[in-house]
Amino acid sequence: MFDLHRLRLLRELKHRGTLAAVAAALSYSPSSVSQQLSQLEAEVGVRLLEPVGRRVRLTEQAEILVAHTEAVLERLEHAEADIATSLTDLTGTLRIASFQTATLALAPGMLSLLRDRHPGLRVHVTQMPPETAIPALQARDFDLVVAEEYPGNPYPRPPGLEQEDLLDDPLHLALPAPAGERSSTGPDPRGGPTAALRSLAGHPWAMEPEDTAARHWAMTLCRNAGFEPDVRFETTDLLIHLRLVERGHAAALLPGLVWNGAPPTVAVRQLPRGQRARRVFTAVRRGRSRHPAITACRHALRQAAADLATSAEG
């Protein structure tokens, strides 16, 4: 019988990449992690790790063990969900990771609903982009992730995770306000959405960093319109993008959630067909999807999204 704790350490190494990262995540010393994995090798009777430069990688046999460990952990999460379902009161801690604008627009409403319906549930929210949140979900650092997917850039479907659509968030071309004005309005230029994009070819742009899905989508959009954008401002903080547009310093591509249900504070134009909304979804591990805390959180998020839509219509 293999030791489950050591199997989990091997699984952590697969997801986190280095012994140091595993040690930091679990509050162990790297030498302790290494010793535990050496003992697992002795239990299994085959080599599980092989050196690659200064790091190690899993052998084929180790990958087999990790796959079985994932199945065992999934069953244990099912058991946890069944026990929680059998209880009258919902307690414990729910760990959520969410990207910035969803945190801004949806988290307060969600938290209010959960506080009123399940006062014994402790909810911990961390702002984190999907690029890092999804791997952290796989590593069991979080229980639920609120993520985004841009048009033409489908997010990978990692094995062992389940996704559920939350809302379609409209995407806008935000025009820089003229000097001295907070916002501007005016008709779309002749030629429609593509012409509106092209009209800003010579203007500075605010975009997210190069290693993000949002940046890849934005660059593709501009290139398809026939120009290379002059990106002078790079940040994942879309509130900074908005402020730069409001002051006339940059053009930007902004989602509706950045206004938190209020009307846009700058002139916006429609984007080309097929590029007008991003998908916002929740992701959980398959073994945890039936847990009542997950069910309650997803319900509260849907209600928060519906309330936000009603506010925007009003």
Side-chain angles (χ1 to χ4, degrees), residues 45 53 100 157 182:
Q100 184 198 30
R157 267 53 172 181
R182 181 172 175 78

Side-chain angles (χ1 to χ4, degrees), residues 262-278:
T265 54
V266 296
V268 296
R269 298 288 181 264
Q270 198 172 55
L271 292 174
R273 197 175 299 276
Q275 303 292 326
R276 296 174 182 173
R278 64 177 175 173

Side-chain angles (χ1 to χ4, degrees), residues 2-284:
F2 302 145
D3 184 272
L4 180 58
H5 171 68
R6 293 169 188 151
L7 289 172
R8 293 188 69 170
L9 289 178
L10 186 65
R11 178 196 173 277
E12 291 287 332
L13 181 58
K14 175 178 172 62
H15 286 287
R16 301 187 189 275
T18 67
L19 294 171
V22 173
L26 302 180
S27 300
Y28 292 156
S29 67
S31 60
S32 176
V33 173
S34 179
Q35 183 181 30
Q36 291 288 317
L37 292 176
S38 295
Q39 291 176 0
L40 180 61
E41 282 189 327
E43 289 177 359
V44 179
V46 297
R47 191 174 184 180
L48 300 177
L49 305 176
E50 53 189 13
V52 180
R54 295 185 177 180
R55 304 177 65 173
V56 294
R57 68 183 176 194
L58 276 63
T59 64
E60 179 182 353
Q61 291 71 33
E63 295 284 359
I64 293 171
L65 271 180
V66 167
H68 284 286
T69 303
E70 296 281 11
V72 170
L73 293 177
E74 183 178 324
R75 288 295 302 172
L76 289 174
E77 286 199 311
H78 278 304
E80 183 183 351
D82 289 344
I83 291 172
T85 301
S86 71
L87 301 175
T88 303
D89 297 323
L90 189 54
T91 60
T93 299
L94 181 67
R95 303 162 300 168
I96 301 170
S98 174
F99 63 95
Q100 184 198 30
T101 46
T103 305
L104 173 73
L106 301 177
M110 172 201 70
L111 291 169
S112 295
L113 290 166
L114 290 176
R115 179 186 59 197
D116 294 342
R117 297 170 183 172
H118 307 287
L121 181 65
R122 182 176 185 270
V123 184
H124 186 276
V125 180
T126 300
Q127 182 182 310
M128 184 178 291
E131 289 84 359
T132 52
I134 293 295
L137 175 66
Q138 291 179 286
R140 286 178 162 74
D141 291 340
F142 297 101
D143 302 303
L144 180 144
V145 165
V146 183
E148 59 186 347
E149 181 179 87
Y150 281 83
N153 290 268
Y155 201 87
R157 267 53 172 181
L161 299 186
E162 292 182 359
Q163 297 184 9
E164 183 177 285
D165 288 346
L166 182 57
L167 59 90
D168 288 330
D169 187 22
L171 295 165
H172 308 280
L173 170 63
L175 278 59
E181 296 185 21
R182 181 172 175 78
S183 65
S184 64
T185 58
D188 285 336
R190 291 183 180 180
T194 300
L197 270 169
R198 196 179 296 121
S199 70
L200 294 168
H203 205 281
W205 285 76
M207 290 188 181
E208 295 198 40
E210 290 186 0
D211 59 349
T212 61
R215 175 63 171 271
H216 181 267
W217 166 76
M219 295 297 291
T220 300
L221 191 66
C222 292
R223 287 166 180 166
N224 287 343
F227 70 96
E228 190 75 14
D230 178 11
V231 182
R232 299 192 195 178
F233 309 99
E234 293 184 276
T235 175
T236 57
D237 189 336
L238 295 188
L239 296 179
I240 294 178
H241 291 207
L242 176 58
R243 180 55 59 88
L244 290 168
V245 175
E246 289 173 342
R247 298 296 180 89
H249 295 298
L253 297 159
L254 295 176
L257 286 179
V258 78
W259 287 289
N260 197 15
T265 54
V266 296
V268 296
R269 298 288 181 264
Q270 198 172 55
L271 292 174
R273 197 175 299 276
Q275 303 292 326
R276 296 174 182 173
R278 64 177 175 173
R279 171 179 172 251
V280 178
F281 63 95
T282 59
V284 300

